[in-house]
Amino acid sequence: MEEKKKGVDLGLRKFIKELGYMTGGAALLSTTPWLASCTPEKLAEIGNAKARVALIGTGSRGQYHIHNLRNIPHAELVALCDVYPANLEAAAALCPEAKCYTDYRRLLEDKSIDGVIIATPLHLHARITLDALAAGKHVFCEKAMARTLDDCKAVYEAYRNTDRALYFCMQRMYDEKYVKAVQLISSGLIGDVVGMRCHWFRNADWRREVPSPELERHINWRLYKEYSGGLMTELGSHQLEVCTWVAGKIPTRIAGFGDIVYWKDGREVYDSVNVTYQFADGRIISYESLISNKYNGMEEQILGHAGTVDLSKGVYYLEEDNLVSGMRQLLEQVKTGVFAAVPTAGPSWRPELRAKYVPHPVLEGKFSISDGESSVGFVADGSDVILSAFCQSCITGEKAKDVVEEAYCSTVLCLLGNQAMEEGRTLTFPEEYKIPYMKF
Amino acid sequence: MNSETEYIAEGRIFHGFVPHAMGTKLDLLAVGTEAAAAEALWTAFCAELSALEAALNRFDPRSEVARFNASESKAGFPLSPAVQRLLDLSREFWFRTEGLFDVTRGHGMDLEEAGATLDFGGIAKGYALALLRDRLAGTGIASAFVNFGDSAILGLGTHPYGDCWKVSLPNPYGGSQVAEFSLKDRALSVSGNTPGYTGHIIDPRTGRANVERKLVAVTGPDPLEAEVLSTALMLADKGQRLRLRRAFPDCESEIYTV
Ligand SMILES: NC(=O)c1ccc[n+]([C@@H]2O[C@H](COP(=O)([O-])OP(=O)(O)OC[C@H]3O[C@@H](n4cnc5c(N)ncnc54)[C@H](O)[C@@H]3O)[C@@H](O)[C@H]2O)c1
């Protein structure tokens, strides 16, 4: 745990330190307007103020947030709430000074609490978010936004009518390598974006151990439709958000297939999904997730006519990579901490090897990359930064621009993907769920 | 001699590059070194390499070897200590390779024979690598990668993120890679033909160029031995190959038909 703590801390400080430089350009602010509310200058302005925050839902993700909160100097975790005693106790052990609740409504009555962090199963996100906003709290809720399209709409409307800050944990929006890569894409690095391919492959049943059978649905909520949108909301929401972020547009047509292919263990949600989203201009997002084969790992590929960015790995490839020699490759390796064979031996000197695709890192130095296998979270993946930004908002009251809108767009796309698979037909983006933020 | 250098402070890595030397290029990657020490070593080595090239380039009429080759009385020609040393080494290798490695272009090391000329092309790169290796050792640099024109490579110590230096050998005729080598305090020498450059290895016994689609790769602690053996194996018949491998017990070799 010690090491994890340190890693998070470093990532967070480094990001905030470099934010000033990163947000310097107008180009960047136009691709990441949400970073404007958490610049280093604004952080300095809050001085020693501390946000008094509470955590609702103290399961695995909630406890991960507790660790991140420890490294946020402007945050104080004052209350915890969970209905499942084992998780509440585990969280209380991490944070003994916090007051414990089993009913979140009682917690919301505490006027001294500035903001709440919601890390409950998906079906509760909307209700608790709405109640917390109504109670005057700033809210940080885990992704996805909500379990149903109507709940998403209700949350979005509530957000439009509140002066409270609202965040959904779309941490890629605050992950330095994503921020930089999207900036590179918008600066024309890979030419015209012609398509997107995202996938998330794991080989695990996604189950958690259940101490007693009546707790099955409570603990394995991800596997049941009442609480969860399955792979689309749990994994796809992050990746589709990245697509709408890059495209600045929303697809108009949605079709897909999904089924329970391998883990036929009584679960209700698909363990294999393949959804295609098409924009009005014809471009396609191809989305795929399967949890009985991990060969392909997790990737978010933005395909341009002049190159490809793999956002999750923080690297880009150019279609025409001016002949990269083995020695250049070796230099890249030693600079980026990679060890691999360099194709440089030969019987006599010949002109440079014709390049295969050579990865170029989007950031200098070392940065953290998730293999996508954890279902809790990854060190320095932006989750720490977005949480810090939220705590800052609890003090300043400043909303983060577009975070709710992005969460709304991606969640609606996930839910429409599920609907398309279930109904076996091509959907047209429904009028009633369009919001002014969306461009088609 | 033109050269470029670059120092990567994070990782303390020095990269030196000579774009043109002995008909090819040379890269040095030295790991775990101060910039100043590496620069000093590099400057000295470049001077040495430059002098060596000036002496050995038989196509440059002013070079020592060209003048020697043109001279009437070879016995009376005063060779510099460096060239004399190379000649002595070459004679040794001529014996060890049963005459397959021959810097006199088919004259059995007999410089008195009419038409005998010197060509150190098959040993000069290995010799330069050995000089650089000694300089690196003298400077206390234990990890380095040297690539002299792709065909003479030296891996000292380890890659900063690995347990050796890994090099692969692509097939010059296209297709998949032929082999991969893990070098740790070892040199690699590759001989053979490529589509664009065939027939540069001459059989001293027949005077004919070898044109087979064949590659020979030799690794060994000594870059000189590796280079000599890879050339000799290109020309050796079955029996000679066996004996050559015994005569160079520190080397490992492989012959590929590509
Ligand atoms: N952003 C990310 O990368 C990321 C990663 C993992 C999980 N998550 C999200 O975090 C949320 C929680 O996931 P998890 O893996 O921690 O699940 P979990 O089951 O481990 O934790 C959920 C907790 O909520 C509690 N809970 C249920 N009903 C409650 C109620 N009415 N009041 C208070 N607490 C209640 C449960 O008892 C449990 O302790 C989900 O929305 C999930 O999608 C996000």
Side-chain angles (χ1 to χ4, degrees), chain B residues 7-205:
Chain B
Y7 186 71
I8 304 153
E10 193 193 341
R12 302 170 69 232
I13 292 161
F14 173 87
H15 177 214
F17 175 58
V18 179
H20 305 287
M22 299 184 174
T24 182
K25 53 185 182 167
L26 179 141
D27 279 279
L28 161 68
L29 207 65
V31 181
T33 172
E34 295 305 325
E39 282 286 353
L41 166 140
W42 181 249
T43 309
F45 171 70
C46 284
E48 196 169 24
L49 183 63
S50 180
L52 203 57
E53 184 169 24
L56 302 184
N57 185 357
R58 66 193 171 96
F59 300 109
D60 176 356
R62 293 161 304 174
S63 76
E64 184 176 340
V65 164
R67 284 186 288 111
F68 175 87
N69 287 346
S71 76
E72 294 290 309
S73 128
K74 303 222 160 46
F77 191 95
L79 285 173
S80 66
V83 176
Q84 187 59 54
R85 163 117 185 89
L86 260 178
L87 189 56
D88 295 344
L89 283 167
S90 301
R91 186 165 280 115
E92 254 174 60
F93 285 128
W94 180 77
F95 277 115
R96 279 171 77 189
T97 62
E98 305 183 8
L100 288 173
F101 180 82
D102 183 354
V103 295
T104 62
R105 297 172 71 79
H107 292 273
M109 294 308 289
D110 184 356
L111 294 169
E112 296 302 318
E113 208 173 287
T117 55
L118 284 175
D119 173 4
F120 290 110
I123 192 171
K125 283 190 280 179
Y127 185 70
L129 280 191
L131 293 176
L132 182 49
R133 178 199 53 197
D134 295 345
R135 285 194 181 275
L136 288 164
T139 315
I141 295 172
S143 284
F145 185 84
V146 189
N147 179 0
F148 203 164
D150 294 350
S151 64
I153 290 174
L154 181 63
L156 297 178
T158 63
H159 184 291
Y161 300 98
D163 54 1
C164 63
W165 295 92
K166 275 202 242 168
V167 190
S168 64
L169 170 59
N171 187 335
Y173 294 90
S176 54
Q177 80 176 31
V178 176
E180 188 175 294
F181 306 94
S182 296
L183 305 177
K184 187 175 178 184
D185 298 320
R186 270 180 107 75
L188 165 69
S189 169
V190 182
S191 292
N193 291 313
T194 67
Y197 190 36
T198 293
H200 57 285
I201 298 176
I202 314 283
D203 191 327
R205 299 159 299 186

Side-chain angles (χ1 to χ4, degrees), chain A residues 339-377:
Chain A
F339 174 53
V342 286
T344 201
S348 60
W349 184 79
R350 61 201 177 285
E352 310 276 64
L353 279 180
R354 180 97 191 108
K356 297 207 195 82
Y357 285 94
V358 180
H360 306 274
V362 303
L363 296 175
E364 296 276 320
K366 296 192 181 60
F367 51 90
S368 103
I369 303 170
S370 162
D371 58 10
E373 292 205 32
S374 162
S375 58
V376 179

Side-chain angles (χ1 to χ4, degrees), chain A residues 254-276:
Chain A
I254 302 112
F257 294 95
D259 218 322
I260 303 173
V261 170
Y262 184 78
W263 300 108
K264 298 177 198 267
D265 56 2
R267 73 184 57 201
E268 295 166 2
V269 300
Y270 297 153
D271 63 0
S272 165
V273 295
N274 190 322
V275 184
T276 303

Side-chain angles (χ1 to χ4, degrees), chain A residues 56-62 81-84 87 119-122 124-125 142-143 169 171 208 218-219 221-222 234 238 375-376:
Chain A
I56 302 172
T58 60
S60 67
R61 185 67 181 173
C81 171
D82 202 297
V83 293
Y84 180 49
N87 283 351
T120 62
L122 177 61
L124 294 170
H125 287 188
E142 263 306 336
K143 61 82 215 171
C169 191
Q171 66 262 29
R208 296 206 174 143
H218 185 81
I219 290 183
W221 60 268
R222 277 184 173 78
E234 286 306 302
H238 288 297
S375 58
V376 179

Side-chain angles (χ1 to χ4, degrees), chain A residues 203-223:
Chain A
N203 198 342
D205 63 4
W206 223 16
R207 282 194 163 278
R208 296 206 174 143
E209 217 175 302
V210 180
S212 133
E214 74 277 7
L215 288 169
E216 163 64 13
R217 290 173 75 87
H218 185 81
I219 290 183
N220 283 312
W221 60 268
R222 277 184 173 78
L223 308 182

